[in-house]
Structure formats: C-alpha cells, structure tokens
C-alpha cells in the first residue's frame, strides 16, 4: 500500500454543548466524554484523541480539576491533540470579523497558558458553511490548516477533498473536507469498518491520503472500546501502514510534504448548507449584532479613559462579555436550530454581555465627560439634579458631550431627551434644530426631544450647549427638504410611495437623473415554507411567493428642516408591518425604521428591491471582507450590507443600490431583484418530525430593526457603503453634563486615518498589558497606503495594506519603542 493513500483515523467526539438540550446538559456530557477518552488511553496505548473548543476545557478546569490535570499530561505526551483554536465550533458565516478574531485571541492564549501549545488546525466539522475570508483569519491566528464537512459533495461539487483554500488577500490554508461524517454514522454493519473501507476507496480513486473520523458524536461520547477493536481489525486486514491511528496535525504534516504543490486552489467561500439558518430566530441574531458592537465601543472608550485619566481598564469584565457572545456563536445556537429553551439561555447570556458593555462604556464616557472643562464666564459650579437647576443661571447653556466610536469624523443626528430652544457647538456657533417626538407622554411639551446634526471627530467627542429658552439663530440650510402625503424629497433624491400598497412607487436619484428601481420597491413578499424544516435542508432558493403585504395606511409623522418621516402600515393575515421612511435634508440615503408584528407559521417574509440596472453584480459583506456572488436567486449569508451594481438601464453608466441593515444576515439576488430576508417562522428544531399541537413556531410577535437604502453612481466603494453600514449599526453616545473645571478640551480627536479604504475595528489594551492594540482592515479590495495617527499616544506611522488585508498593530507604552505588527493573538 502506498503511503500516499494512507487513511488517518481520527478519534473524536462531536460535542454540541447546546442543540436538542440546554448548556447545562452539554456541560455534563463534556465531562463524561473527556473521562471516557482518558480511560480509552489507559486501555489502548496507541489511541489518540482530538478535541476542539476552549470553552469545554475551561468548564473541565473549573469543575473537574483532577481530570484537567490528566488532560494536561496527555497533551504533553502528544496523545490528546488540541485543534480548532476557537472558543467553540461557531457558525462560520454570521459572527463579525472581529468576533472571529476574538475566538482566536482568547482561545489560543488560553491553550498556550494551560497546555503550552496553540492549535495549528482550524476545525469546524459541523458548521453550516464557511465565509471566504477565513483563510486569512486562520493564518493570522496561527492555524495553517482547516477541517470542515459542510457543504458536502452533494451541496458543493469539488474536484478534491484536499485543497488549498485562498482568501481575497492571498492567504492560503491547506483544507480537508470530511467525507460521509465526523462520527460513527453508517447505516449497515460495523460503522468504523464500513466507513473506513469507503474512505479507502476514495483515497485510491483520488490518489490522496484521507482522514476518517470515528467516535460517538453530537451528544458526545467519543470513541468506544468496540470502535478501537474494529480499528485494530482493520489494521490486521489492510495493514498498519495503511490504517493509522492519527490526528489532524499528523495528517496535514504528511499531506504538506507529499502534495503541497499538486493539490488545487479554491478561491471562493464554501456554501451552501442549511440556508434557512441565516435568518432563523431574529432575536438572537439582533442581540449578537448589538453585543458585538457595544463591546467594541466600550473597549475603545475604556482605552481612552484609561490612558487619559487612569481609569482602570475593565479587561476581565470585557473578556467575560466576549466569552458569552462567543459561546452563543455555536452553530446550533447562532444558526437558530436549537430547542426553545436554549434561546432563553442565549437571551440571558447576551443580556449579561450587553450589560457589561453598557456599564463599562458608561464608566468610560462619564469619566471623560466629567474631566472636560465646561466652565463659562459668570457661572458657578453646581451639581445636576432632577430639576435641572443649571438652567437657572441665566440660561448659560447645559453641556452635552457627544462621543463618536468610529475611526472617521462623522456628521450624524443627535437626539436629546429634552425640548430645548437652541443648541450651539463648542465654539458657540448656533446649530439648526428640529423638535421631534420622544418616547414620553407626560405633558404637552415634555414629550418632545430635540434633534440636531452633530459633527464629531474620529474616536473622540465634542461638547454642544443646550439652551432652555434662548433662541439660537442658526443659519438656515440651503438644502431643500420637501414633503407631501406620500412624497419625501431633498436636493439629492425623491421618494414616492404608492398610496394603497405602501410600496415605493418611484425612487429618483436627482444627482444622476436615474430611476433607482425598475419596479415597486420595499415590497413585503410572503414565501410559503411548509415543505421546509428549521434548517431548510436541501433548499437553496426561497421563491414560492404566496402573498404580499398590502392594505396600506400612509401618514406623515415628522416634517422639519432636518428630516421628514412617512409611516407606512400594511397588513397580511394577522401580521402587521410598519415601515418609517426617513429622509434627512443633507444626504442621499433613506433610513427605514421597521416594526413588525409577525403571526405567521411556516412562512418567510422578504423585502424586494428591483434595482434598475443591466448586467447586475451582487456583492455581500462577509466577516472582515466582501464577496461577489452569482445573481441566481440562491439564499446567501451576509453581514451589514448587500449591493447590486450594473449598468443603469439603457445607459453605459455604472450605477447601483446598497441595502444596509442593523440585524439581518440573509438575502438573495435574482437577476436585478435584491431581496432582504426579514423573518422565518419554522418550528423550533424541526427536522420533519411529528408536527402536532405541541409544536411552537419561531419569531412570533413584535420585532424592530432598521435598514437603509444607499443609491450610488459608480461602485459601492464610491458610496462609502462600509462606513454607512457601520454608522447605522453603531450609534453616537451622549452624556448631559454639568459645569465644572477639567483637564480635557471641549473637542477631542482620538485617531486620524488618512485612507477612506480603511476601517479601525478594535482599539483596546493589549492582553499582556504591554501597550495598546489597534486592528484595521482594507474594505474596498484595492491596495491602500495610509498614515495612522493617535495623538494622545504621540504616535504616527505609515503603512501599506494589501487588498482586503487585516492588520493588527501593537503600540508600546514607551514612545521609544516602535509600533509593530502582531497577529490576531497578539504575538
């Protein structure tokens, strides 16, 4: 037998900590599985066990420390092999790019601290698809290899199960697709024996070495005594040189030596499996998006407060917040295919993370705002109380500190929880305002808020002054904002709604004279899904239309110099959809705030936007990147935006429409018709079981979310869509302050990045306490040269980014030490 077709038998246990059970049961099963693996090692000296998931090891460490010490010894011996390098086996489409970085950061450092090793094999054998930037993330996390199983050959045909997987930046990892299964799933005979023979036949057919995974999985269990006897039987039958007890590490080392130059290169993502999981359980997906962004915002301002004002950096609290989020990334949680009880647990975990982020963020911004010099001539420092006594000092104004968590200067709406007469900036320049309805109902005037457009420096703040009675004569805008019963229009764009349906009748880009849509837009399309399970196994398109929301009522809710709002309320069966179309006077985009009361079963809701272009191309945001996909109507996972660009109908002009969102992860494009998936309502964890009166359906009731329409001449890069999507997702933070002396100025910029192609996603204390970490990525798919400046650290450096490249910089505390590039685990 040739060593080139050797079969590496991988003893493992696929451990779902949550699925058809809750995490407490998974916790117990992980301990039982680890105990079983250790016992097999005593009984079979040649047995090797492979296991991923830092969370599992942490559970064992805290609850069974004596067993943890046994594992440490087996790791040293080389018979217990740590793979994966991540907190759990997450969904590999829906977490953000920075979330994948945190999986690597916290897990690889944990493995190094506890076991003296890091994983060099990425390992996600049951995840429902894998986004195209993973090779770069893996490489920059110390992992040169990757193992997966889904999509299988029946879902994505590939010439070889062993290949180089390359991301858009050029990073490559050697990747293996598991044939058949990751465990003892075989319909006839001895599972290990029969599956190994089938794998050996594949190895002979392709002339490659293969891995064959064995062991009881899903609910844990691992390799059994009978499994290992079967392995020894196979070794006697086929030869111990052909059938070896092994690990993924050993397999890839052998394959790298034998096939490094001869295997094919794959330059796409790995889809599709369980396409319905991109849109199931809206609540957990929305909580995930909010928690990811809030933790990052808290880190940024905690870093500023720590450096400027010596506020202790809350590293342990923030790490706990990330651990909760990472655990909820587990593919059966994030994928929305677990039991109902699992989502009560997920809600609690996200709640803790959101609260941690809120508390630490508040401490940071209040420490900063309290240290700003807000004194004015003729006033006396006073403490703020419930009666706003500060108003009484001749209406000198109340300081409002507005913080910008983004790495670029931002002009964005600020809504203040007070009805005031005027607003000025930190230089005393009057600012145009608008009275808008707040959430209060106590009194004729108290129920109104004040809206103005803030202009805030990057990763910084600016003080604005609120006046109770003094009118501030702001310069009138030279931009026109026109409203009618069903029309919103400014100097850039005109939106007309159809009165009886509420659909967009016409959307005109006045800058180019082009119609953005070729037909009705924002059309709520109802899709029948009675023939689908929770995962939508075997279904790649959702186009079985049965109805549309209609019977619309349109009301003008806001009209003023800054923005106008039309509310469209439409209905289908017992479900009600409310869309507030909002147009600002100074921008060519439309914001839509949605409230949906969904009461349907076995149905899906999509919003349709037929973009008025020919030769359309669809681009989706993926974690730390973007990807172009066919316009064939297949359901696709995405992050905060999707774009359709082509030639404007009847012209040679490049034109397009981007749809940005704050909590949705699924969409499709068929020709020029872009459809964002809003909600699905399958039964919880339904794999075509008995559908009876005990079944409960997902996403029943009220949910709220936002999306935005960004028409653009040229490509999506020209419209700065990545930044606009982040602005929709990450709001400004504001604090009403008092009069006091302080060491900080009334305006502060924390960072300057010269290239519009780059976005800073993370600014935090280094894990080892030695300086700060700044992480950026290139967003447009083109090389970029930039200078990065952090004034408070006295640092400025120039750097070149490759297309779609992620870079992590360590900024030492001493100015005598150079800024250096680290990997994602800060090594």
């Amino acid at each position: 037998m040739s060593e080139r077709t050797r079969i590496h038998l991988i003893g493992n246990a696929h451990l779902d900590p949550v699925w058809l059970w809750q995490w407490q049961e998974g916790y117990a099963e992980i301990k039982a599985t680890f105990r079983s693996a250790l016992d097999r090692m005593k009984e079979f000296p040649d047995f090797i066990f492979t296991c991923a998931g830092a969370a599992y090891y942490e559970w064992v460490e805290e609850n069974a420390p004596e067993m943890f010490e046994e594992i440490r010894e087996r790791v040293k011996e080389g018979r217990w092999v740590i793979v994966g390098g991540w907190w759990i086996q997450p969904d590999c489409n829906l977490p953000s790019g920075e979330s994948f970085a945190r999986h690597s950061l916290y897990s690889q450092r944990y493995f190094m601290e506890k076991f003296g090793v890091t994983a060099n094999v990425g390992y996600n054998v049951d995840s429902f698809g894998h986004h195209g930037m993973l090779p770069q993330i893996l490489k920059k996390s110390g992992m040169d290899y990757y193992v997966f199983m889904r999509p299988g050959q029946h879902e994505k045909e590939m010439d070889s199960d062993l290949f180089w997987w390359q991301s858009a930046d050029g990073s490559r990892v050697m990747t293996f697709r598991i044939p058949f299964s990751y465990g003892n799933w075989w319909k006839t005979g001895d599972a290990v024996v029969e599956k190994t023979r089938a794998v050996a036949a594949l190895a002979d057919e392709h002339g490659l070495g293969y891995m064959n995974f064995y062991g009881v999985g899903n609910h844990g269990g691992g390799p059994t005594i009978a499994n290992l006897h079967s392995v020894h039987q196979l070794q006697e039958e086929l030869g111990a040189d052909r059938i070896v007890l092994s690990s993924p590490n050993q397999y890839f080392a052998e394959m790298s030596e034998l096939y490094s130059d001869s295997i094919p290169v794959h330059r796409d993502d790995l889809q599709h499996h369980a396409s319905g999981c991109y849109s199931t359980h809206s609540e957990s997906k929305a909580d995930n998006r909010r928690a990811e962004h809030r933790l990052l915002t808290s880190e940024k301002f905690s870093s500023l407060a720590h450096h400027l004002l010596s506020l202790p950096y809350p590293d342990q609290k923030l790490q706990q917040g990330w651990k909760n989020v990472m655990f909820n990334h587990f593919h059966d949680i994030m994928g929305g295919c677990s039991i109902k009880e699992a989502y009560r647990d997920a809600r609690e975990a996200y709640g803790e993370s959101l609260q941690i982020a809120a508390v630490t963020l508040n401490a940071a911004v209040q420490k900063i705002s309290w240290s700003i010099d807000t004194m004015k001539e003729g006033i006396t420092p006073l403490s703020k109380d419930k009666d706003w006594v500060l108003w009484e000092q001749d209406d000198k104004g109340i300081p409002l500190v507005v913080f910008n968590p983004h790495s670029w200067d931002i002009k964005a709406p600020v809504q203040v929880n007070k009805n005031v007469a005027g607003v000025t900036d930190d230089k005393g320049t009057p600012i145009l305002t608008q009275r808008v309805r707040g959430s209060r109902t106590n009194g004729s005037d108290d129920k109104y808020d004040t809206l103005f457009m803030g202009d805030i420096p990057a990763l910084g703040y600016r003080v604005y002054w609120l006046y109770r009675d003094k009118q501030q004569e702001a310069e009138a805008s030279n931009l026109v904002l026109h409203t009618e019963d069903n029309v919103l229009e400014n100097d850039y764009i005109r939106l007309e709604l159809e009165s009886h349906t509420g659909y967009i009748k016409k959307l005109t880009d006045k800058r180019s004279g082009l119609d953005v849509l070729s037909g009705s837009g924002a059309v709520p399309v109802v899709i029948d899904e009675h023939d689908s399970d929770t995962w939508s196994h075997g279904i790649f398109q959702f186009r079985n239309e049965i109805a549309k929301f209609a019977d619309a009522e349109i009301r003008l809710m806001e009209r003023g110099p800054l923005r106008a709002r039309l509310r469209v309320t439409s209905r289908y069966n017992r479900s009600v959809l409310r869309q507030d179309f909002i147009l600002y006077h100074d921008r060519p985009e439309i914001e839509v705030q949605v409230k949906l009361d969904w009461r349907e079963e076995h149905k899906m809701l999509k919003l349709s936007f037929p973009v008025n272009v020919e030769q359309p191309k669809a681009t989706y945001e993926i974690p730390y990147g973007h990807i172009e996909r066919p316009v064939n109507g297949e359901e696709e996972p995405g992050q905060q935006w999707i774009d359709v660009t082509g030639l404007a109908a009847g012209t040679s002009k490049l034109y397009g429409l981007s749809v940005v969102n704050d909590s949705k992860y699924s969409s499709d494009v068929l020709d020029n018709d872009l459809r964002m998936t809003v909600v699905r309502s399958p039964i919880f964890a339904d794999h075509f079981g008995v559908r009876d009166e005990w079944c409960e359906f997902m996403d029943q009731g009220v949910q709220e979310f936002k999306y935005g329409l960004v028409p653009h001449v040229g490509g999506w890069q020209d419209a700065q869509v990545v930044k606009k999507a982040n602005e929709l997702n990450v709001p400004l933070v504001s604090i009403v302050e008092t009069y006091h002396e302080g060491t900080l100025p009334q305006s502060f910029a924390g960072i300057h990045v010269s290239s519009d192609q780059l976005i800073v996603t993370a600014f935090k204390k280094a894990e080892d306490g030695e300086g700060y970490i700044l992480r950026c990525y290139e967003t447009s798919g083109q090389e970029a040269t930039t200078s990065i400046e952090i004034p408070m650290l006295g640092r400025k450096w120039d750097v070149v980014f490759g297309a779609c490249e992620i870079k992590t910089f360590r900024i030492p505390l001493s100015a005598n030490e150079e800024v250096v590039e680290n990997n994602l685990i800060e090594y």
Side-chain angles (χ1 to χ4, degrees), residues 455-682:
D455 195 351
I456 320 298
L459 195 58
Y461 64 80
R462 172 162 280 134
V463 175
Y464 289 87
W465 292 88
L466 314 176
Y467 297 87
R468 183 187 61 181
D469 298 317
K470 282 185 182 179
Q471 296 288 334
Q472 301 294 325
E473 297 299 326
E475 184 178 345
S477 173
N478 59 359
L479 301 173
V480 174
L481 181 57
H482 170 71
T483 60
E484 297 176 19
D485 290 343
N486 63 338
V487 173
L488 299 177
E489 184 175 4
N490 63 18
D491 286 354
Y492 309 105
I493 203 160
R494 175 184 168 87
L495 169 75
E496 182 179 355
L497 300 176
E498 192 172 55
S499 58
H500 63 289
T501 64
Y503 310 154
I504 297 176
K505 181 178 181 179
K506 193 169 187 179
L507 181 59
T508 305
D509 188 335
K510 297 168 66 175
R511 300 165 298 176
S512 62
L514 296 172
D515 288 332
V516 180
L517 303 174
S518 61
S520 298
V523 179
V525 180
V526 181
I527 308 292
D528 180 76
E529 277 208 278
H530 279 80
D531 294 332
S532 174
D533 64 0
T534 305
W535 293 258
S536 299
H537 281 119
I539 298 174
F540 303 105
Q541 295 187 14
F542 298 95
R543 289 268 166 178
N544 186 15
E545 301 177 20
I546 56 173
K548 295 179 176 70
F549 277 68
D551 187 25
E553 176 189 2
I554 302 176
R555 295 184 62 190
L556 179 63
M557 302 297 291
E558 288 180 352
R559 174 192 294 169
L562 296 180
R563 79 179 181 198
R565 178 191 302 247
L566 285 174
R567 173 167 293 173
V568 177
T569 305
S570 57
R571 294 166 177 80
Y572 166 73
N573 283 351
R574 296 183 298 122
S575 299
V576 181
L577 175 66
R578 191 182 81 189
Q579 298 191 79
D580 284 9
F581 292 86
I582 301 168
L583 183 64
Y584 288 87
H585 75 297
D586 61 347
R587 55 193 60 191
E589 300 94 34
I590 296 166
E591 179 182 328
V592 189
Q593 296 181 3
V594 184
K595 184 175 184 178
L596 170 66
D597 187 358
W598 181 250
R599 302 291 173 177
E600 309 308 315
E601 300 174 353
H602 290 307
K603 295 185 180 72
M604 171 188 279
L605 177 62
K606 284 178 171 283
L607 289 172
S608 169
F609 301 90
V611 187
N612 191 26
V613 296
E614 299 166 350
Q615 303 176 36
K617 294 183 178 180
T619 307
Y620 298 73
E621 184 182 40
I622 60 175
Y624 270 144
H626 60 271
I627 193 168
E628 187 179 310
R629 292 174 174 144
V631 290
N632 58 8
E634 290 188 346
E635 194 78 0
E636 302 283 5
Q639 294 275 307
Q640 298 179 154
W641 58 270
I642 178 177
D643 177 82
V644 172
T645 294
L647 299 179
T651 77
S652 58
K653 293 181 180 178
L654 193 66
Y655 193 81
L657 173 69
S658 296
V659 178
V660 301
N661 75 86
D662 75 343
S663 59
K664 301 302 174 183
Y665 291 88
S666 193
S667 52
D668 78 88
V669 180
L670 180 60
D671 298 327
N672 67 332
D673 184 13
L674 185 163
R675 293 186 173 187
M676 179 176 68
T677 305
V678 172
V679 66
R680 289 184 68 224
S681 51

Side-chain angles (χ1 to χ4, degrees), residues 154-173:
H154 64 292
E155 296 163 318
K156 186 178 184 68
E157 292 186 10
M158 302 181 74
D159 294 333
S160 175
D161 288 319
L162 181 68
F163 55 92
W164 288 110
W165 187 20
Q166 181 170 310
S167 51
D169 70 302
S171 298
R172 286 184 179 183
V173 290

